[in-house]
Amino acid sequence: MTELITISTISTISNNQLKLVTLNGWLYNKRGSGKILFLQIRDGTGFIQAIVNQNDVSSAEFELAKHLSQESSISITGTINKDSRAPFCGHEIWVSQIEIISHSQDYPIAKKSHGDAFLMSNRHLWMRSIKQHSILKIRASLIRAIRDYFDSHGFLLIDSPIFTPNACEGTSTLFETEWFNGQKVYLSQSGQLYQEAACAAFGKTYCFGPVFRAEKSKTRRHLNEFWMVEPEAAFMDLEGTIQLAEDFLCYTVERILNIHEKDLTNILERDLTIVKNTRKPFPRILYTDACDKIAKLGLEIKTGDDFGSPHETELTKQYDKPLIVTHFPSKIKAFYMKKDEFNPDFAKCMDLLSPEGYGEIIGGGQRENNEQTLMIEMQNHGLNLKDFEWFLDLRRYGSVPHSGFGMGLERCLAWICGLHHVRETIPFARTLDRMNP
Ligand code: 4AD
Ligand code: MG
């Protein structure tokens, strides 16, 4: 009787110990010579070592395996053997049949190291390599953890639009396009304003989607298209939103560590000591005290200046946990920020800075809920009140204190994974000098 052959994936290979299975995938790498070849196979769900022994296959198949080129697609059949020493997944497959699906010629990404620009130009292929594969899997888990947190904490998902008639985060970073009637329309910089409407209708809401900033910044922390999650809650003050940010970050980081600790340490070689320290409460510091501290560390800063990357980096080096900086000068913050009652030069806002120099990952605070004060602030920011009538309505019909924040997915992921540049945390990065592939 012939044995029934299971078609398996690498991720479920442990269910098939000592069984004959077929795997469909691609050749990742190859070594060995003489009578035995070691093929590294990837199938999208994982990586496994396949062993081709000359005695176990036909001579044509052995020749095929011997000349197989990187990234050729193949179908292999063999017996699964559990071996803790086996690379990748603790299992290996002893091949009895091998078939080529499609030949790959001169795959551009060789095993030698390539420059960043070359790899980014080949992003459509680079995402097959084991580190990039890991990062994008962790990204998917982080997205799931974020959604799970808000879905299970009473926040309703209310999607904000992407085409918007007005600015949220300053007029200088708007991507502009044209609506049907020739009217100017912009790509959203943040879904916040719409969440303010939504939280007055549903209490606690969040949106999670791509946002766009025409920032001409060429730093390792800036993308022109990135993903932001933005919770907003009615009857919540600055303190409430700080506690929400702390609880949320602890939950999501713990979820990622539970699922991906091995990927992080073995594949991305991330030292997780500080990431594991994400336990609330986080240290807090007032903006003015942070300025003093930064000045003492030898960097130039005047009260009233915004922090630059070097300031954030030096400041956070002093802590082994995320740091919360509150009460920035109102002047350098967005029009919607509520001013502190006791010291109106400062806003009831907070930035959560990651440890280890990855910069601001969360920004938020309490919103101005008085119509008159808000209108004055909008005028000071050069905004056209006509575009914001709907937003002002929220202050006219049962205005309540409310607060929220935004977390940049890529900044958070870059920190968790320990990546130098955010461009590796998004499948296809859009930056000042790149919008392809
Ligand atoms: O501090 P930001 O600009 O805040 C807002 O947009 C608020 N409307 C959010 C809110 O309160 N609902 O941006 C929030 C976060 C930052 O902390 C950072 O993580 C990320 O978005 N971010 C960027 N990430 C990548 N590239 C950029 N150019 C980014 N700009 C901001
Ligand atoms: Mg900010």
Side-chain angles (χ1 to χ4, degrees):
M1 202 176 80
T2 50
E3 193 177 347
L4 205 62
I5 301 175
T6 317
I7 296 181
S8 180
T9 57
I10 296 170
S11 64
T12 55
I13 212 74
S14 58
N15 304 335
N16 293 305
Q17 163 67 349
L18 296 178
K19 285 196 193 138
L20 192 66
V21 303
T22 295
L23 286 177
N24 296 319
W26 295 262
L27 181 75
Y28 188 59
N29 202 358
K30 186 180 69 180
R31 62 185 179 85
S33 55
K35 288 181 177 337
I36 196 152
L37 301 168
F38 299 95
L39 311 182
Q40 295 182 352
I41 310 288
R42 57 169 203 90
D43 76 341
T45 74
F47 294 75
I48 196 168
Q49 175 165 272
I51 302 163
V52 191
N53 185 331
Q54 196 172 15
N55 300 330
D56 297 342
V57 293
S58 70
S59 57
E61 282 171 315
F62 194 75
E63 276 307 297
L64 187 153
K66 209 160 135 186
H67 296 106
L68 210 54
S69 54
Q70 192 187 351
E71 288 303 322
S72 291
S73 48
I74 50 175
S75 185
I76 54 168
T77 299
T79 307
I80 300 300
N81 181 40
K82 187 174 174 179
D83 184 341
S84 59
R85 292 162 307 173
F88 307 121
C89 62
H91 289 78
E92 57 200 8
I93 177 165
W94 285 81
V95 178
S96 51
Q97 265 176 44
I98 180 162
E99 217 178 285
I100 188 153
I101 299 168
S102 178
H103 184 64
S104 152
Q105 203 173 348
D106 303 328
Y107 186 68
I109 304 178
K111 287 291 142 198
K112 69 174 173 99
S113 62
H114 296 282
D116 295 333
F118 177 85
L119 290 170
M120 286 305 290
S121 295
N122 285 285
R123 182 60 168 170
H124 53 295
L125 302 175
W126 190 29
M127 66 198 332
R128 302 178 183 193
S129 67
I130 193 161
K131 278 195 177 166
Q132 299 307 313
H133 188 263
S134 245
I135 296 165
L136 294 179
K137 271 191 344 196
I138 299 173
R139 177 186 168 102
S141 297
L142 183 57
I143 292 173
R144 209 174 307 126
I146 290 168
R147 292 199 181 283
D148 285 349
Y149 180 84
F150 289 114
D151 291 343
S152 63
H153 284 75
F155 287 78
L156 188 72
L157 174 71
I158 297 287
D159 303 308
S160 288
I162 284 176
F163 285 123
T164 59
N166 44 33
C168 178
E169 296 297 323
T171 47
S172 62
T173 63
L174 284 169
F175 274 114
E176 188 181 303
T177 179
E178 202 180 282
W179 205 241
F180 302 108
N181 51 7
Q183 191 193 339
K184 276 183 190 165
V185 65
Y186 310 100
L187 299 186
S188 176
Q189 301 164 306
S190 155
Q192 177 195 321
L193 305 188
Y194 295 93
Q195 293 308 304
E196 291 190 48
C199 83
F202 301 96
K204 298 200 285 183
T205 62
Y206 76 101
C207 63
F208 191 7
V211 290
F212 309 86
R213 305 249 172 123
E215 281 166 309
K216 292 198 169 138
S217 312
K218 220 176 161 178
T219 80
R220 65 191 190 97
R221 297 174 185 171
H222 286 89
L223 294 166
N224 295 107
E225 175 179 327
F226 62 96
W227 281 61
M228 182 153 49
V229 58
E230 297 181 88
E232 192 75 24
F235 307 104
M236 187 181 267
D237 60 5
L238 174 64
E239 178 58 33
T241 204
I242 292 175
Q243 289 183 21
L244 177 68
E246 287 178 322
D247 194 56
F248 160 70
L249 195 65
C250 292
Y251 172 97
T252 43
V253 169
E254 193 183 329
R255 274 272 299 265
I256 295 304
L257 289 172
N258 284 343
I259 310 170
H260 291 292
E261 184 159 351
K262 263 198 192 153
D263 294 323
L264 286 163
T265 51
N266 298 353
I267 299 172
L268 300 178
E269 295 166 18
R270 174 71 165 126
D271 176 352
L272 289 172
T273 319
I274 290 183
V275 179
K276 284 186 176 172
N277 218 9
T278 311
R279 292 202 202 91
K280 54 182 192 176
F282 301 154
R284 293 189 196 183
I285 187 169
L286 289 169
Y287 162 84
T288 43
D289 294 340
C291 286
D292 291 345
K293 224 174 191 161
I294 291 167
K296 280 196 190 119
L297 290 166
L299 276 86
E300 208 174 302
I301 190 158
K302 290 190 305 292
T303 308
D305 289 352
D306 203 356
F307 296 164
S309 297
H311 299 124
E312 287 176 353
T313 304
E314 285 311 307
L315 180 65
T316 52
K317 270 192 196 159
Q318 312 302 311
Y319 300 86
D320 61 358
K321 271 188 178 188
L323 173 67
I324 291 173
V325 186
T326 68
H327 298 88
F328 284 79
S330 305
K331 270 209 183 104
I332 57 169
K333 286 293 178 181
F335 72 92
Y336 53 73
M337 299 263 183
K338 190 167 182 64
K339 293 182 184 3
D340 190 81
E341 290 87 344
F342 305 105
N343 200 346
D345 286 343
F346 295 91
K348 293 179 107 171
C349 65
M350 62 104 170
D351 274 7
L352 187 152
L353 308 181
S354 76
E356 304 174 274
Y358 290 85
E360 176 200 328
I361 57 177
I362 293 180
Q366 194 167 333
R367 321 307 189 187
E368 181 50 68
N369 56 318
N370 177 281
E371 184 192 351
Q372 291 310 317
T373 320
L374 187 59
M375 277 165 71
I376 294 167
E377 224 27 69
M378 286 174 160
Q379 276 156 343
N380 290 342
H381 278 80
L383 298 172
N384 187 351
L385 292 191
K386 264 205 341 238
D387 296 333
F388 288 88
E389 277 305 313
W390 68 271
F391 188 64
L392 288 164
D393 271 353
L394 307 173
R395 278 72 185 167
R396 292 173 184 141
Y397 306 112
S399 186
V400 296
H402 62 285
S403 305
F405 65 78
M407 184 183 82
L409 178 70
E410 292 78 13
R411 294 253 186 107
C412 182
L413 189 59
W415 166 55
I416 294 175
C417 294
L419 302 172
H420 179 71
H421 201 296
V422 286
R423 66 184 161 217
E424 287 180 43
T425 62
I426 187 161
F428 295 97
R430 299 292 176 247
T431 54
L432 190 55
D433 53 4
R434 177 172 303 283
M435 54 151 302
N436 57 55

